[in-house]
Amino acid sequence: MIGMVAASVVQADEPLRLVDRGQPHAVVMLPETTDDQTEAAAALFVEYIERASGAKLPMQSEGQETNPATKVVVHVGSDRFVQSLDLGIDKLDADGFVLRADANGHVVIAGPTAWGTEYGVYEFLERYVGVRWLMPGPNGDDVPAQKTIAMPIGEVREEPAFFSRQMSGFRGGEQATWTRRMRMHSRVAFHHNLQRLFQPETYTKTHPHFFPLRNGERYLPPDNNTHGWQPCFTAEGIEDEAVKNIVRYFDEHPDATSYSLGVVDSSGHCECDSCQALDTGELNFLGRRDVSDRYYGWCNRVVERVLEKHPGKVFGCLAYSEVAQPPSKVKVHASIVPFMTYDRMKWIEPTLRAEGEQMTRNWHATSPVVGWYDYIYGAAYCVPRVWFHHMGDYYRFGHANGVRAMYAEAYPNFGEGPKLYVALKLMWDPEQDVDSLLREWYVRAVGPDAADDLAAYYAHWEDFWTRRILESKWFSLRGQYLAFYSPKYLADVTDEDVSKSRQWLENVVAKAQTDQQRARAELLMLAWKYYEASAVAYSADRLSRELAIENEADAVAALARAEQCLVAAQQRRTLLMEEFPKHPSLLHGITFDRRPQLRGDGWGTSLVWRVFDWVNRSEAVRNAVSHMAESPDNSVAHHAKALLRLADTDLAPVSANPSFESEDGRMPAEWSVWLKYGAGTKDIAAEAARTGRQGLVFRGVRRGGPLQTLAFEPGEYAAVAYIRTPAAVADGATATLSVTPLDEKGNNLPGLSTIVPLAEGDWTPLAVAGPIPKEINGRSVAKVRLIVVLDGLAADDVVHLDDVKMVRIGDLAK
């Protein structure tokens, strides 16, 4: 037995018992010389066996004396005994493994690499101990108690369907640990990298001809961080230099398995005659010049030469922008993995799915190995974004059509429950049954009594994202990915969605049985509170469009709902910034600072200011506003006080000429008008005067309106505009009043805004108020812009506008 201590012989039809009725019967054996990763995997094996059974298995290296009472030897890694069995482990993928139990009392857990051995340990723990890694955090794994742990005589041999499996956006050690247990392992470098291969700060001086011609002139990027250019792929010596640099990289990094040939971000390909002669001369499916033949031909030649020195290496790249289409004149080298970039949730739309599937087939016909780059964002979304079954469908299609490497921008919110669990399970084996994976996750997470309610909750949101969202104005047929940075889909979330979801999760919490199940249920409820607060806060925008405020009862009711929305807006900010960082599984990879549209500072305000004109007309409305001004919620109190202050005072405006008056009847000099797309017209006319002699008339404006840029000092500001719509206008047409801070370069900063629907009727006030400090997001405020934006008018729609002003109503609160 090559120096190994023989284990006791057991009958072939009996499983090998590592633990029997709580007593350890096995030793964990490591190779005499082993690596840290394999040793850590063995230690994890021992830890979870003990957690499940209470029995601690001893660990030792081969060659050490074994307790004679030991009945089973568990070989973790390829020690001399494992090597003697000639199991063909070296023929497996690097992440593959063999689990083997024989009648002589030996269990083998080994892969061709330390990664394979580690994944073999995870498989053993999942298959024979029942461990599930449900989510990150202290209650994230589920380890069922069992006093006897055994493996049947026989062999399990596995390797991943997708050899490279990577997601980005995880934060903190707990999330990283979870992804590792779920066998996430990136093995292909493919991101933008040619700017590093040919660093401008060096090569513009030594090899300026490596850089592109533009309009007949050589473009030399000013520094290594500049994007928007590509090398001249036909430049003399550029292949030699690339080969030299990549070979040196592998010489210096012998453990590296991959190198990226990804293009520089943001286009900028060479226009020299030699490069363009290699192109098709046509536009690709993205509407960009197709330069795939020049690029992939260059990659092929470079890779072939590098492999002469470093065989077995893999080269990734992005099938992106001008190189998104398969080349038509060359085949892609088998060691190159082009990653096709697309948000495949969009494949819920049949035409997009057909186009995407055909493009994948086209790529596989040209490239033996294909990668997929996906956008499965979680933390950017304000309700659970899940599409489990659709994901399973396209993972299976991808694997059947040459896709072998997966990458996704994930940025998780584990309030989405089993989403990433299912995704990573399918990346290992896309033939797994999605319903079985989901059912097991629900039962193991919150217990059998609560599982049905949790399943109903996620099925509801799966229906929202795979069926209902197709009718949303947010969903786009264009572009590589959906607008994850825009929360406009919240306009399609109903009050019923919110109430049903809360009831399901309240049931889950009530029905969970064990302490761990309750902890996980409460965590999902905490995540739901953020989703719920987001939906409620954003609903103010929808209600502001839908509610008809025709009497004081309507106005009082609108104020009550506005207060609810403002409280919710503050709650979601508190949850994300203060509460979620305490929980490893809810720590978001995308914050409000990264995506200001998600901050929701103005959510709820539009509904408050819809009642502005009623404050001085109705005692009931004034009383309701006064009551809100005493609210313990700062946001509610702030807006109520601003509403009263603006209604009760006649402060001199800081803006000029609110009534658009002029001596010659033309547009006053103090104002300018912006019309996007050049669509629509504006006129000065007496018919549009609410006060004074004239006002503005807009016709057919798709998006635009009057604006005035003003000097600034920090303080509390308010703005008012009056709008009249003489006749019915297009559905969805709106007016937005904004006070927008500008930085020193004239760039917009987060500001104040109120949006209302446009409907036939007489003069209606539009108002907004709030603080504008001297600095926002680390940038100084230099000026402010007062603007009214009309949006979505049809060609014949008419809107009147008058009495637009901004006032400074006080200093900033201390």
Side-chain angles (χ1 to χ4, degrees), residues 160-162 165 167 182 387-396 399 406 419-435 437:
F162 301 98
R165 308 163 304 281
M167 297 178 183
M182 290 298 297
W387 60 99
F388 312 113
H389 296 85
H390 174 61
M391 184 180 287
D393 287 344
Y394 68 70
Y395 278 21
R396 283 187 290 274
H399 188 260
M406 301 289 278
K419 174 178 167 178
L420 299 187
Y421 177 91
V422 169
L424 286 166
K425 285 284 188 182
L426 293 173
M427 284 186 187
W428 186 269
D429 176 10
E431 297 304 321
Q432 294 182 84
D433 182 72
V434 171
D435 286 319
L437 290 172

Side-chain angles (χ1 to χ4, degrees), residues 245-288:
N245 289 344
I246 298 171
V247 166
R248 182 173 64 241
Y249 170 80
F250 284 128
D251 288 343
E252 296 172 353
H253 302 84
D255 293 333
T257 60
S258 181
Y259 189 87
S260 174
L261 295 174
V263 294
V264 185
D265 199 5
S266 302
S267 303
H269 284 270
C270 182
E271 298 171 359
C272 77
D273 292 340
S274 297
C275 282
Q276 295 196 76
L278 300 174
D279 301 339
T280 61
E282 300 175 354
L283 301 181
N284 66 17
F285 70 97
L286 296 175
R288 297 176 180 269

